[in-house]
Amino acid sequence: MAHHPKLRLGVNVDHVATVRNARGGARPDPVRAALMAIEAGADGITAHLREDRRHIRDDDMERLKAAITKPLNFEMAATEQMLDIALRIKPHACCLVPEKRTERTTEGGLDVIGGQGHLAPYIAELARGGVRVSLFIEPDEEAILTAAALKAPVIELHTGSWCHAFENGEAARAEAEFQRIVRGARTARAAGLECHAGHGLDFETARRIAALPEIVELNIGHFLMGEALFVGLPKAIATMRAAMDAGRAEAARS
Ligand code: PXP
């Protein structure tokens, strides 16, 4: 039987803060969601401190770091200000993402090829600070090999294009996008990178991607928070965990 390492689930709590900020008070609290997610089986918590602080704020990140017992994955743009905050908070990991003020969510992966010179010192500084660095990139061979050359230990493959095509019922495009992810995950492992994936995943896409043994972590937020409105956060996370375990087990049997 092929070796399939455990697939970790990182729960992104950004949109608990989005709902809170709609009214400007303290509720709902993303830290409470993080604690509940861990209780329900999350292996880590992810939060994105955006430049415009539209959801997570600086004190949320500090409170998350202080409160949770599982790894904190701090998503951020490669800027001086974010680097200072990350080195002060010292999360377990930092995922470097591209950021545009006008976007609704992280559109596309980092331009690692054109941005090598800019990214290299951030990767080095974070590593020196004891933070595990991950680069959020498209499942593109050249980008993956560039991430390895930049000595980032981890990459996170952007699954947005695949999930978007899948959700829209564009079967042929979805399959082509999925095959890009399959090739990307293999390229990453062969290059010695730890491979994560995320963006736009739901129960079905998480189950399917769980079959790829090269991928060891999924980061999921928006869909889980939407489900939580209807079934509660613990049930949404337990169902996601079961979908991931089922996808992994099917692949291990084949
Ligand atoms: N991974 C990264 C790097 C992200 O930027 C995001 C969105 O913030 C996610 C995963 C989670 O995406 P979603 O909220 O669509 O599940």
Side-chain angles (χ1 to χ4, degrees), residues 91-176:
H92 168 78
C94 263
C95 182
L96 297 180
V97 302
E99 210 177 283
K100 292 199 276 295
R101 263 178 186 273
T102 53
E103 69 190 357
R104 267 184 299 189
T105 181
T106 313
E107 293 165 357
L110 275 174
D111 175 15
V112 270
I113 299 161
Q116 290 179 63
H118 174 74
L119 291 168
Y122 286 92
I123 296 167
E125 281 286 313
L126 287 165
R128 235 193 317 278
V131 179
R132 201 160 163 76
V133 182
S134 155
L135 303 179
F136 189 45
I137 59 176
E138 292 294 322
D140 167 75
E141 184 172 6
E142 203 184 341
I144 295 163
L145 297 177
T146 305
L150 279 165
K151 299 201 167 43
V154 185
I155 57 161
E156 180 165 326
L157 295 178
H158 197 310
T159 52
S161 300
W162 170 48
C163 292
H164 192 69
F166 187 84
E167 209 179 315
N168 287 344
E170 299 169 54
R173 200 165 77 79
E175 189 52 34

Side-chain angles (χ1 to χ4, degrees), residues 162-196:
W162 170 48
C163 292
H164 192 69
F166 187 84
E167 209 179 315
N168 287 344
E170 299 169 54
R173 200 165 77 79
E175 189 52 34
E177 290 291 347
F178 185 68
Q179 292 308 324
R180 281 178 75 208
I181 295 169
V182 172
R183 289 193 298 274
R186 287 182 186 148
T187 302
R189 273 315 299 151
L193 291 160
E194 181 173 315
C195 188
H196 301 175

